[in-house]
Amino acid sequence: MRLLNSPFARQPSVGPSHGPRALWPPMDFTLGALACCGACVVTNPLEVVKTRLQLQGELQARGSYQRHYRGVLQALWVVGSTDGLRGLQKGLTAALLYQGLMNGVRLGFYSYTNAAGLTDAPGGSLIAGAAAGALGAFIASPAYLVKTHLQAQTVAAIAVGHQHNHEGVSSAFVSIYRREGVTGLWRGVNGAVPRVMVGSAAQLATFSSAKDQVARAQWFGPHSWLTALTAATISGVAVTITMTPFDVISTRLYNQPVDEFKRGRLYCGFVDCLTKVCATEGIMGLYKGMTPVFVRLAPHTVLSMLIWDLLRERALLYTH
């Protein structure tokens, strides 16, 4: 049984129409974008730290490189004391652009597949979440590319990974376009799509089912925001466990330098990156930065899912 107060549930409209209860598509896109952008502002410093930790010791054996960053709190301190408070929000504009595009498309697409009943079939929720994530990741890939470049940039004393030395968001887009053409803006998308497919499927499927289970168990009152908060927390754990290896590979593919033939100097693609990381850094190389991944993803998932849930509930009340 699906609960009527779930934002993912198909609900009858008020009035003569008895079709699925859904929002106007531009409104659904906007609510999804606003929810995730709000969460992004809060969690962006953790994204900066996560990017640095994932690039640290790239293709080097454990113990053979200098560790500038040793944990979430120490890394936040190092970035803040070296780059200043603004350094903790590096790449924020590109991150907001990415979150708005990717999650607006992802959440809007998923809610409509659910309203159409496509998620009712066995495995339908996972498939719809993965498809929504792939579509959003592809459209927003250029923004994630620039975000990664900017968040990796810092002074030489604490630099990790390749330094692209962009002057800002707009100059980054222009320089990448001039050097690599339009296709260069989508370099690394072969790592981003599986990353977001896995994360999106885990997030949307677990949030939807967890919210139904919590509401059915009647832990909280009807329409309580604590129901969405609990479901979002469970979802954040699931996303972290499943997505971290894909997140490491995606960061490496996006940040690698390119040669004169516009090919990556370090990796040829997703499988090549996976193989090289495991061969040189060990299997745990795929879990670099897992702590900041969870520390960032858990509150980001909680905030974005909770805000989106509340915004859609209010919008549905007004529009129906």
Side-chain angles (χ1 to χ4, degrees):
M1 185 178 91
R2 300 184 64 85
L3 299 178
L4 293 181
N5 66 337
S6 168
F8 299 112
R10 291 185 295 136
Q11 303 180 21
S13 303
V14 176
S17 173
H18 297 284
R21 187 177 178 186
L23 288 173
W24 184 46
M27 175 63 74
D28 221 355
F29 175 93
T30 302
L31 293 181
L34 286 175
C36 293
C37 285
C40 176
V41 173
V42 178
T43 61
N44 191 63
L46 295 168
E47 180 74 7
V48 173
V49 168
K50 180 215 74 171
T51 300
R52 303 281 179 87
L53 283 167
Q54 290 179 341
L55 291 172
Q56 184 169 248
E58 185 171 15
L59 298 183
Q60 298 179 62
R62 187 179 180 86
S64 65
Y65 56 88
Q66 183 179 1
R67 293 179 62 193
H68 299 297
Y69 310 101
R70 298 178 179 274
V72 178
L73 295 179
Q74 184 265 358
L76 287 169
W77 171 259
V78 170
V79 173
S81 60
T82 305
D83 293 338
L85 293 178
R86 292 184 62 184
L88 292 171
Q89 288 289 9
K90 278 194 172 182
L92 179 60
T93 301
L96 289 172
L97 179 60
Y98 170 75
Q99 291 291 338
L101 285 173
M102 195 273 285
N103 287 296
V105 171
R106 183 176 69 98
L107 297 179
F109 179 85
Y110 182 84
S111 67
Y112 270 84
T113 59
N114 193 279
L118 299 178
T119 58
D120 292 339
S125 187
L126 282 172
I127 295 172
L135 180 62
F138 180 81
I139 292 173
S141 185
Y144 197 91
L145 172 68
V146 170
K147 178 195 77 70
T148 303
H149 287 188
L150 293 175
Q151 290 179 338
Q153 282 184 194
T154 185
V155 296
I158 59 170
V160 291
H162 182 72
Q163 300 292 292
H164 293 271
N165 299 317
H166 299 303
E167 295 180 0
V169 175
S170 58
S171 65
F173 279 113
V174 172
S175 63
I176 293 170
Y177 173 75
R178 287 177 176 173
R179 185 177 65 247
E180 304 173 50
V182 174
T183 55
L185 293 170
W186 269 267
R187 180 169 53 83
V189 72
N190 55 336
V193 169
R195 167 187 175 270
V196 180
M197 283 180 69
V198 170
S200 181
Q203 183 189 61
L204 294 173
T206 55
F207 177 78
S208 180
S209 60
K211 188 182 177 191
D212 282 352
Q213 291 295 329
V214 171
R216 190 177 295 124
Q218 298 182 343
W219 293 353
F220 310 106
H223 307 291
S224 172
W225 62 272
L226 290 172
T227 301
L229 178 62
T230 304
T233 303
I234 296 171
S235 181
V237 175
V239 172
T240 302
I241 294 172
T242 57
M243 201 175 78
T244 298
F246 295 90
D247 201 35
V248 171
I249 293 173
S250 180
T251 299
R252 299 286 181 86
L253 290 175
Y254 272 124
N255 196 64
Q256 70 171 329
V258 295
D259 59 21
E260 61 274 18
F261 301 107
K262 304 176 183 179
R263 296 178 301 196
R265 291 182 181 273
L266 301 178
Y267 314 105
C268 297
F270 184 90
V271 175
D272 184 53
C273 182
L274 173 65
T275 304
K276 287 181 177 177
V277 170
C278 290
T280 57
E281 304 172 49
I283 192 68
M284 293 308 296
L286 294 173
Y287 287 89
K288 279 187 174 180
M290 184 171 182
T291 301
V293 167
F294 175 73
V295 174
R296 186 195 75 85
L297 276 177
H300 187 278
T301 300
V302 169
L303 289 169
S304 60
M305 291 288 94
L306 179 59
I307 294 171
W308 185 51
D309 185 70
L310 295 175
L311 287 175
R312 293 193 82 248
E313 287 288 343
R314 298 298 181 271
L316 285 167
L317 286 174
Y318 281 111
T319 56
H320 295 280

